[in-house]
């Protein structure tokens, strides 16, 4: 009995999954691509999409009122049949009038299927964890649509797939698994109609706008929906979020699901304002979409405060017509006209999506809200009154760079303190006088060296090297754990921080240079040419090989083009100070030091370079 | 010790809020710490962060640990000590906790947005630098009104207790101003010219500040036991003597190689036996036992290792390395966390002590911290002799950092367990609301 109960219920999951596949990969995606291929754009495109919305809205509102074919199974078959006709019609060469008719048929089919399905889902899911089955169906639908061979299929192939989806749905045995009256779970948190309508409209609006913007911005699309890895990740995230949403809805956490969906979508929309964040946005977007999608499907049957089947159907009709079709159209319109989702709109959408929790917050936590609001306000006024920080525009480039150094938390990995009478002096020296340190506002001594000390970095590294390193640290310092700060170079901040770092150098430069020239590695009998060769390939080849990565990428930037060691080798006169050059670099050029290398490593490199001035192996 | 002997722990929405908020920040801080540990192993993932770079998350991670996790349980302690729960203002305790969390959330946003003073643990800058002291001011006002209300009701017949609370209020009144001014980039404390870190005197000063808190805590939440007056007096006299000694050491820049500095800091070792003896002078709830023991163990380890790490030769090797990161974790995740959990267990009473007493989370946390400290000490020792160990990391470094990540996950799991356990009794909170509403109506 129990096994039957479980297996019967999977028809509900299959119906949900098939409906989603049809809607996502064809109605929302493949059909649009087909129109674009046929050159239907601008006003004509709007006309076609308007037809689809009209079909959807009309049938969503009409279905609950139709007295013919009262059986849900028949209505579903009718809806999938119409949808299949729409998918087949999309295979014909489209013109605007034909496409509008096809779009209307697609919308009408979807209107009938969605409203009928969500109204009568309990008939097909059985009484054993019906909401989880819906979550599984939604997740599966999204997962299939994100399979690379489905997502990247041609629009014609997607139309054929949509037809097969409808045929599969028509082939499903749609006899009611259970009577609806006994399939209603008790104890599930109900959501008032107005709150649900507001929340779903806001969420679908955000979703559609974000989807449209990503699809129509090349850079964003490349970061989110291109390549197998992205698609598999999206599919898995969709599936996991859908199942999580179902589990939460089963536990009466409806508001948490909607709040989570809003937070994910709102954050994704804000992140999309900056293309650098597209990847992060692409992780949040599927989570937000799947969270609310499950709630949207589950709502009419299990979360609405409906007392009869007719009322449930009417609620479903309004929700799918207004929130679904109109919310989606408004989102696409926003994407088309603005190209982004304004932050102010995200805030307004939050007010709608989270209306109920906010009202409850005000009702049960009025003191908390009042006190937090009052103190935030007082702090704002006080801040305006006493803040005397100089504006960024008033700062010199070095001062501005220092501010960025502080903002980015560089002190968490880099010290600016050379300890006197310690190994620091040779590596990062010279020592900075305490008076100079105290003169800084504030001193940036730091307490951790994940990377080198920067007290005198301007003496050890050229501006080009610093910039190249900030852009891609691992390219110049293999194995470096430092993150890329390429984001700073999209505006003036990158150059400012480079200017600041270059400014970090002492007036007692010559003394330090003499110290460095006199330096020799201690005797290291374990040094070997094998190790030297390995280090050369890792550290030196990038600049000293004709095809080295840094040399190729920055040919114009070097102060002095690095010697091509393959072509020119090393002069014998150079050998005497080679260890010092490797350790401390060449002043006045872009050649950096490798202060962190051990004496043995340096000796190995010297051995390799001195005895293999021309390296045919590396040329290979 | 019998449960009946211990101080009664009345349920309170304000204390509950302080505890659940503190645990939230602990979970958040641990999650960020885990993320940071992952980023150090897989730096390529940094690109997912966009503008919210590693360094900005470090600020959030460190400050949420200090101003969220380490501070909010003390709000619970203050509510209990100053009788906020029994005063006419009892319904304002939870709003103050909310305000604290809101101010910290604003701080987090400001650090992630790149607003910082550039001072470790005093990163408050811009709007947040005003908001957070104002929050402290709101807490102070609540405590003052609660104190005055109790005085009017003549509940505090003992003048000594009243005087101590008054002194406490005077000290607390200075904290918001101190925080505001200390966050200024124009102020910088004395430092050790041979290490760039704090002097022995300033370390002694902050250690004595911690000792002061340790000595004060029992008075607010536990009942004194007879027969321990001498130990208690000795502790307070010693604190006064050490404070005077610390003042004599002065606040000038001074090297750790000066005997006065390392011997002076060594005076903190006197508290190694004295703190356990002191805590025997109070009646504690039965269920606090394991956390009291472990807090005293961490105290011992912290005091001894803190002194050893300051010694000439040792500090020279470990300064700027993972060794001192491990030592910081001994302080915050070892000693302070054990102390705070001990205090919270006392505050919520034996009935709810199960929240912190699950065996696996107890061991996951403490062994996780211990393993972390050992791994980081080992990494710091190697790094002290060879900076390239960290700057151009090799397989051994990766292994040590991977183990560090595992210990971080153990700590995160334990904190999640506490947080979930603490938020489960939300029904309890509703019950308070109802009963309070009933009381007000009556």
């Amino acid at each position: 009995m129990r096994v039957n109960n479980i297996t019967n219920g999977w028809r509900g999951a299959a119906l949900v999954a098939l409906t989603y596949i049809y809607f996502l990969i064809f109605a929302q995606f493949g059909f649009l691509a087909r129109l674009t291929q046929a050159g239907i754009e601008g006003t004509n495109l709007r006309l076609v999409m308007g037809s689809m919305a009209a079909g959807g809205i009309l049938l969503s509102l009409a279905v609950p009122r139709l007295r013919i074919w009262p059986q849900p199974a028949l209505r579903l078959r009718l809806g999938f049949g119409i949808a299949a006709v729409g998918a087949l019609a999309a295979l014909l060469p489209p013109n605007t009038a034909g496409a509008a008719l096809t779009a209307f048929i697609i919308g009408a089919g979807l209107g009938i299927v969605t409203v009928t399905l969500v109204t009568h889902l309990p008939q097909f899911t059985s009484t054993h964890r019906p909401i989880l089955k819906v979550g599984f169906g939604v997740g599966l639908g999204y997962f299939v649509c994100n399979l690379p061979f489905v997502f990247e299929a041609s629009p014609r192939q997607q139309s054929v797939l949509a037809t097969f989806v409808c045929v599969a749905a028509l082939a499903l045995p749609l006899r009611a698994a259970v009577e609806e009256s006994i399939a209603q779970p008790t104890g599930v948190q109900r959501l008032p109609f107005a709150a649900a309508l507001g929340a779903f409209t806001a969420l679908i609006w955000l979703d559609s706008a974000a989807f449209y913007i990503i699809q129509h911005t090349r850079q964003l699309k490349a970061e989110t929906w291109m390549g197998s890895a992205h698609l598999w990740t999206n599919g898995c995230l969709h599936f996991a979020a859908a199942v999580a949403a179902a589990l939460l809805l089963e536990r009466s956490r409806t508001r948490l699901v909607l709040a989570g969906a809003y937070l994910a979508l709102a954050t994704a929309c804000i992140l999309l304002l900056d293309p650098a964040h597209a990847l992060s946005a692409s992780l949040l977007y599927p989570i937000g979409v799947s969270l609310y999608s499950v709630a949207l499907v589950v709502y009419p049957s299990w979360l609405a405060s409906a007392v009869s089947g007719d009322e449930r159907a009417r609620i479903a009709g309004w929700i799918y017509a207004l929130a679904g079709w109109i919310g989606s159209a408004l989102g696409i319109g926003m994407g088309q006209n603005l190209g982004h989702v304004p932050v102010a709109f995200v805030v307004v959408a939050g007010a709608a999506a989270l209306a109920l929790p906010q009202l409850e917050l005000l009702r049960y936590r009025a003191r908390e809200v009042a006190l937090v609001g009052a103190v935030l306000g007082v702090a704002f006024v006080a801040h305006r009154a006493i803040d005397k920080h100089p504006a960024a525009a008033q700062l010199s480039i070095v001062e501005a760079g220092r501010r960025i150094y502080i903002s980015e938390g560089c002190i968490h990995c880099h010290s600016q303190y050379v300890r006197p009478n310690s190994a620091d002096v040779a590596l990062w020296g010279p020592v900075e006088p305490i008076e100079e340190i105290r003169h800084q506002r504030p001193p940036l001594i730091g307490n951790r060296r994940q990377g080198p000390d920067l007290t005198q970095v301007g003496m050890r590294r050229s501006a080009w090297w610093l910039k190249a390193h900030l852009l891609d640290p691992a390219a110049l310092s293999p194995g470096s754990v430092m993150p890329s700060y390429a984001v700073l170079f999209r505006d003036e901040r990158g150059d400012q921080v480079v200017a600041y770092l270059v400014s970090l150098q002492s007036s007692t430069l010559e003394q330090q240079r003499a110290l460095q020239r006199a330096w020799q590695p201690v005797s290291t009998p374990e040094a070997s040419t094998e190790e030297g060769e390995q280090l050369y390939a890792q550290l030196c080849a990038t600049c000293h090989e004709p095809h080295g990565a840094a040399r190729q990428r920055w040919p114009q930037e070097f102060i002095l083009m690095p010697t091509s060691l393959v072509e020119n080798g090393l002069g014998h006169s150079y050998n005497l100070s080679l260890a010092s050059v490797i350790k401390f670099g060449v002043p006045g050029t872009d050649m950096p030091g490798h202060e962190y290398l051990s004496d043995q490593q340096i000796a190995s490199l010297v051995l390799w370079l001195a005895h293999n001035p021309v390296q045919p192996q590396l040329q290979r | 010790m019998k449960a009946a002997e211990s101080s009664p722990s009345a349920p309170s929405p304000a204390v509950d809020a302080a505890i659940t908020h503190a645990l939230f920040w602990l979970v958040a801080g641990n999650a960020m710490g885990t993320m940071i540990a992952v980023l150090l192993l897989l730096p390529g993932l940094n690109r997912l962060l966009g503008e919210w770079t590693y360094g900005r998350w470090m600020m959030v991670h460190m400050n949420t640990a200090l101003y969220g996790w380490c501070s909010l349980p003390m709000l619970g302690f203050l509510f209990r000590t100053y009788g906020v729960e029994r005063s006419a203002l009892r319904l304002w305790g939870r709003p103050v906790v909310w305000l604290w969390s809101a101010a910290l959330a604003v701080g987090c946003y400001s650090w992630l947005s790149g607003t910082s003073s550039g001072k470790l643990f005093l990163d408050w800058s811009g709007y947040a630098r005003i908001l957070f002291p104002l929050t402290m001011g709101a807490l102070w006002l609540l405590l003052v009104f609660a104190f005055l209300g109790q005085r009017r009701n003549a509940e505090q017949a003992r003048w000594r207790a009243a005087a101590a609370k008054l002194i406490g209020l005077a000290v607390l009144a200075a904290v918001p101003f101190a925080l505001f001014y200390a966050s200024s980039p124009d102020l910088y404390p004395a430092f050790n010219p041979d290490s760039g870190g704090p002097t022995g005197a300033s370390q002694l000063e902050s250690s004595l500040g911690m000792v002061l808190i340790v000595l004060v805590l029992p008075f607010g939440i536990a009942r004194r036991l007879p027969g321990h007056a001498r130990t208690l007096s000795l502790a307070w006299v010693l604190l006064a003597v050490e404070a005077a000694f610390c003042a004599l050491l002065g606040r000038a820049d001074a090297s750790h190689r000066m005997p006065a500095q390392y011997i002076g800091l060594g005076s903190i070792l006197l508290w190694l036996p004295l703190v356990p003896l002191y805590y025997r002078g109070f009646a504690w709830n039965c269920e606090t036992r394991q956390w009291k023991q472990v807090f005293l163990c961490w105290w011992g380890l912290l005091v001894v290792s803190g002194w050893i790490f300051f010694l000439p030769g040792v500090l020279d090797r470990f300064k700027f390395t993972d060794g001192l990161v491990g030592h910081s974790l001994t302080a915050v995740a070892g000693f302070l966390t054990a102390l705070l959990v001990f205090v919270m267990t006392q505050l919520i009473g034996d009935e709810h002590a199960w929240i912190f007493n699950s065996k696996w989370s107890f061991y996951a946390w403490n062994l996780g911290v211990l393993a972390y400290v050992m791994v980081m000490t080992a990494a710091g020792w190697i790094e002290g002799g060879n900076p390239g160990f960290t700057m151009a990391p090799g397989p051994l470094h990766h292994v040590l950092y991977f183990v560090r990540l595992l210990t971080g996950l153990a700590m995160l799991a334990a904190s999640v367990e506490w947080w979930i356990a603490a938020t489960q009794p939300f029904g309890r909170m509703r019950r308070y609301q109802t009963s309070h509403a009933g009381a007000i109506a009556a």
Side-chain angles (χ1 to χ4, degrees):
Chain A
M1 258 322 258
R2 185 179 160 78
V3 171
N4 270 346
N5 199 15
I6 295 169
T7 50
N8 282 345
W10 290 111
R11 282 182 301 163
L15 283 169
V16 170
L18 291 170
T19 309
Y20 259 96
I21 293 170
Y22 181 90
F23 173 69
L24 294 169
I25 205 66
F26 172 65
Q28 203 186 28
F29 193 69
F31 181 62
L32 274 176
R34 189 106 179 90
L35 297 176
T36 310
Q37 277 181 347
I40 298 172
E41 289 170 338
T43 311
N44 289 346
L45 182 65
R46 288 198 182 93
L47 179 74
V48 174
M49 296 316 292
S51 296
M52 188 190 283
I57 293 168
L58 194 67
L59 270 295
S60 295
L61 293 174
V63 162
R65 291 162 181 81
L66 286 177
R67 294 296 162 210
I68 51 168
W69 289 320
Q71 295 90 344
L74 274 177
R75 279 191 186 174
L76 278 176
R77 291 210 158 98
L78 174 69
F80 276 117
I82 294 172
V85 171
L88 283 171
L91 290 169
L92 300 171
N95 55 39
T96 304
L101 181 63
T102 306
F104 184 85
I105 293 170
I106 294 167
L110 273 173
I112 296 171
V113 168
T114 50
V115 172
T116 307
L117 183 61
V118 299
T119 306
H120 301 285
L121 258 176
Q123 285 194 10
F124 308 110
T125 51
S126 82
T127 51
H128 183 261
R129 309 195 70 176
I131 295 177
L132 183 61
K133 285 164 190 163
V134 171
F136 182 82
V138 172
L140 188 64
Y142 275 108
F143 182 80
V144 169
C145 292
N146 277 285
L147 289 172
F149 61 88
V150 175
F151 191 87
E152 288 164 356
S154 70
R156 284 183 69 87
Q157 288 169 328
Q158 286 169 343
S159 301
V160 172
L161 174 67
T163 312
F164 277 113
V165 161
C166 295
V167 172
L170 288 167
L172 277 178
L174 295 181
R175 183 176 48 82
V178 287
E179 290 297 322
E180 270 187 66
S181 56
I182 60 163
Q184 299 294 315
T186 54
V188 177
Q189 191 180 34
R190 306 283 169 181
L191 197 63
F193 173 71
L197 185 63
F200 287 127
T201 306
L203 291 168
I204 291 170
W205 189 327
L206 286 176
D207 168 11
S208 305
F211 181 80
Y212 184 90
I213 291 162
I214 292 170
Q215 283 299 317
H216 291 83
T217 312
R218 190 170 173 74
Q219 191 182 355
L220 295 179
K221 195 174 175 182
E223 288 279 349
T224 51
W225 263 306
M226 282 175 88
S228 295
H230 276 155
L231 291 170
W232 280 106
T233 307
N234 289 350
C236 292
L237 285 174
H238 270 301
F239 186 81
V243 172
L247 292 171
L248 286 168
L249 291 169
E250 277 187 339
R251 288 161 179 73
S252 281
R253 301 282 189 182
T254 311
R255 282 156 207 172
L256 183 63
V257 170
L258 294 179
Y262 169 73
L263 281 178
L265 282 174
T267 312
C269 286
I270 291 169
L271 290 172
L272 285 173
L273 294 172
D274 181 352
H277 289 151
L279 195 55
S280 306
S282 77
L283 300 178
L284 291 171
Y285 174 80
I287 293 172
V289 169
S290 281
L291 285 175
Y292 90 74
S293 295
V294 177
L296 183 66
V297 177
V298 162
Y299 177 72
S301 286
W302 289 289
L303 307 179
S305 315
V307 290
S308 67
D310 284 348
E311 192 183 354
R312 210 160 63 226
R314 279 196 294 278
I315 284 174
W318 284 112
I319 290 280
Y320 277 73
L322 295 179
W325 289 101
I326 295 180
S328 179
L330 290 169
I332 291 170
M334 178 179 271
Q336 280 176 334
N337 294 315
L338 300 180
H340 70 279
V341 181
V343 175
F345 177 75
V346 173
V347 174
V348 173
L354 308 175
L356 219 55
Q358 288 170 61
L359 287 172
E360 285 185 354
L361 191 71
L362 287 174
R363 188 175 164 195
Y364 296 113
R365 296 285 186 268
R367 279 188 192 80
E368 284 82 348
V369 173
L371 182 66
V372 170
V375 177
L376 287 175
V378 170
F380 179 76
V381 173
H383 178 238
R384 293 293 292 268
I386 65 174
D387 183 39
K388 298 200 170 55
H389 227 58
Q394 295 172 295
L395 300 173
S396 69
I397 187 168
V398 171
E399 287 166 334
R402 188 172 199 270
R403 214 181 239 197
I404 291 154
Y405 184 92
I406 292 171
S407 297
E408 297 300 325
C410 302
I411 56 167
H412 293 284
C413 291
H414 294 283
S415 61
Q416 283 191 34
Y417 196 82
V418 177
R419 291 172 292 175
N421 309 312
S422 75
D424 286 6
V425 180
L427 295 177
W428 331 114
V431 173
E432 194 174 20
I434 286 184
E435 304 75 50
E436 281 184 30
I437 294 171
R438 284 229 168 265
H439 186 66
Q440 298 166 8
R441 295 283 180 271
L444 299 174
I445 292 174
N447 67 348
R448 176 78 188 96
R449 281 180 188 158
Q450 207 78 50
D453 185 276
L454 300 181
T455 313
Q456 312 287 356
V457 70
M459 191 187 88
R460 303 196 307 268
R461 298 290 189 272
S462 69
W464 164 77
W465 191 94
L466 290 165
K467 180 177 179 176
H469 194 264
L470 283 162
L471 282 167
D472 187 1
L476 294 182
S477 306
S480 168
V481 294
M482 178 163 156
S484 162
Y485 282 88
V487 71
L488 297 179
F489 289 91
R490 285 197 278 115
D491 50 42
E492 69 282 2
R493 289 175 300 165
D495 291 331
Q496 288 171 342
V497 84
V498 167
Y500 167 63
L501 293 172
V502 168
S503 78
L504 295 175
Q505 48 186 305
S506 162
S507 51
T508 55
L509 207 64
E510 270 316 305
Q511 205 179 335
Q512 185 70 12
R513 295 267 183 252
L515 193 73
Q516 291 174 352
R517 278 193 294 272
W519 178 86
Q520 283 291 320
V522 293
S523 173
T524 49
E526 287 170 13
S528 66
T529 50
E530 288 77 20
E531 186 184 32
E533 182 179 5
Q534 202 179 0
L535 287 166
Y536 175 85
Q538 197 183 5
L539 303 172
C540 316
T542 189
C543 289
H544 289 289
E545 286 295 302
H547 301 294
R551 201 183 173 94
Q552 292 292 314
R553 186 174 172 188
W554 308 94
Q556 308 297 322
E557 308 283 337
F558 289 102
I559 296 169
L560 189 66
M561 198 60 166
T563 311
S564 169
L565 296 180
V566 171
E567 288 158 358
N568 305 325
L570 288 165
H572 287 292
S573 59
Y574 211 34
N575 292 356
L576 293 173
S577 57
L578 193 53
S580 173
V581 167
I582 295 167
K583 182 88 172 172
F584 301 112
V586 180
T589 74
D590 295 305
M591 169 74 190
H594 300 84
E595 299 86 356
Y596 51 85
L597 290 182
S598 67
D599 284 8
Q600 182 191 311
Q601 288 173 314
I602 290 179
S604 294
L605 259 174
V606 170
L607 208 59
W608 160 251
L609 289 168
H611 294 97
N612 298 274
V614 178
Q615 296 89 6
Q617 303 96 310
L618 285 166
Q619 273 183 315
R620 272 205 305 276
Chain B
M1 191 194 307
K2 289 178 187 171
E5 289 174 345
S6 59
S7 68
S9 303
S12 152
V15 171
D16 279 3
I19 290 170
T20 49
H21 281 234
L23 288 170
F24 165 78
W25 287 111
L26 176 66
V27 170
N30 281 336
M32 285 178 251
T34 308
M35 181 184 81
I36 285 162
V38 171
L39 290 174
L40 287 172
L41 280 167
L42 302 167
L45 294 179
N46 278 288
R47 66 186 286 261
L48 290 174
L49 303 179
E51 289 266 349
W52 291 4
T53 49
Y54 175 93
R56 296 186 186 187
W57 279 107
M58 277 297 293
M59 293 184 230
V60 181
H61 169 60
M62 291 167 70
N63 289 319
T64 49
L66 181 64
Y67 296 103
W69 165 235
C70 294
S71 302
L72 278 160
M74 300 312 289
L75 264 67
F77 162 78
L78 290 170
F79 291 152
R80 179 68 48 87
T81 305
Y82 281 90
V84 171
E85 302 151 300
R86 298 185 300 277
S87 76
L89 292 159
R90 61 186 169 275
L91 295 180
W92 286 95
R94 189 168 55 202
V96 166
V97 172
W98 275 51
L99 178 61
W100 192 283
S101 281
L104 188 52
V106 168
C108 292
Y109 180 73
S110 101
W111 296 313
L112 285 175
S113 307
T115 308
S116 167
S117 68
K119 297 174 78 171
L120 296 171
F121 290 117
L122 289 166
D123 277 319
W124 300 99
S125 187
Y127 175 70
R129 187 179 165 212
I130 293 172
L131 177 61
F132 201 69
L134 276 178
T135 299
M136 290 176 156
L139 168 68
W140 184 80
L141 279 177
L142 180 66
L143 298 178
V144 167
F145 284 123
F147 175 74
L148 293 176
Q150 286 196 339
R151 291 296 298 160
R152 267 202 300 275
N153 294 337
E155 282 183 22
Q156 286 177 302
R158 291 170 55 195
W159 68 269
R160 279 206 303 190
K165 286 182 184 177
L166 208 54
I167 292 169
L169 283 174
V171 172
L172 289 174
V175 175
F177 298 100
L179 183 80
F180 181 83
Y181 283 107
S183 303
S184 165
D186 299 334
L187 290 181
Y188 202 80
F191 64 88
N192 176 349
D194 283 326
S195 75
T199 63
S202 60
Q203 286 204 48
L204 179 62
E205 191 178 303
S206 55
S207 302
L208 290 178
M210 196 61 243
V211 169
L212 175 65
I213 292 172
V214 168
L215 297 190
V216 164
L217 277 174
F219 286 106
I221 54 176
R223 191 167 48 80
R224 269 181 69 175
L225 291 174
H228 295 268
R230 272 190 177 180
T231 311
L232 269 58
S233 302
L234 175 67
W236 285 100
V237 169
L238 180 64
L239 181 66
V241 171
E242 283 211 72
F245 175 62
C246 186
L248 281 176
L249 284 175
R251 292 190 163 196
D253 296 341
S255 168
H256 62 295
R257 299 201 173 93
M258 291 169 67
Q261 292 290 316
Y262 59 79
I263 293 171
L265 183 61
S267 70
I268 200 76
L269 293 171
L270 293 169
W271 293 97
L272 202 57
L274 201 51
V275 168
L277 286 174
Y278 185 88
Y279 268 64
R280 275 190 207 165
F282 296 87
W284 301 101
N285 295 345
C286 295
E287 297 294 329
T288 60
R289 195 160 166 264
Q290 67 173 0
W291 281 104
K292 190 176 77 169
Q293 285 174 343
V294 82
F295 124 64
L296 292 171
C297 288
W298 281 116
W299 169 249
L301 183 63
L302 178 68
V303 165
V304 174
S305 65
W307 184 63
I308 291 175
F309 272 123
F310 188 73
L311 292 174
V314 183
L315 183 59
D316 301 306
R317 176 97 185 189
F318 279 105
K319 182 62 188 170
F320 295 123
T321 71
D322 277 331
L324 291 190
V325 175
H327 179 64
S328 305
L329 206 87
T330 310
V332 176
F335 164 67
L336 264 178
T337 294
L339 173 67
L340 293 170
V341 174
F342 164 65
V343 168
M344 290 189 291
T345 314
Q346 176 76 10
L347 284 171
I348 58 179
D350 282 348
E351 188 192 346
H352 301 295
W354 59 270
I355 291 171
F356 296 107
N357 278 348
S358 123
K359 196 167 262 183
W360 82 261
S361 60
F362 175 81
Y363 283 107
W365 183 271
N366 288 294
L367 293 179
V369 176
L370 189 63
Y372 184 106
V373 172
M374 287 163 67
V375 166
M376 296 303 265
T377 307
W381 176 258
I382 301 169
E383 188 188 342
N386 170 23
F389 178 72
T390 297
M391 291 171 203
L396 177 60
H397 186 270
H398 291 320
V399 169
L400 289 176
Y401 268 44
F402 182 71
V403 176
R404 172 175 117 146
L405 172 62
L406 294 181
T407 64
L409 286 170
M411 287 182 255
L412 176 62
S415 60
V416 168
E417 138 98 345
W418 297 335
W419 185 54
I420 290 173
T423 49
Q424 263 179 0
F426 264 128
R428 221 170 31 140
M429 301 249 188
R430 298 235 166 86
R431 217 164 55 230
Y432 301 150
Q433 275 177 349
T434 317
S435 63
H436 281 298
I440 291 163

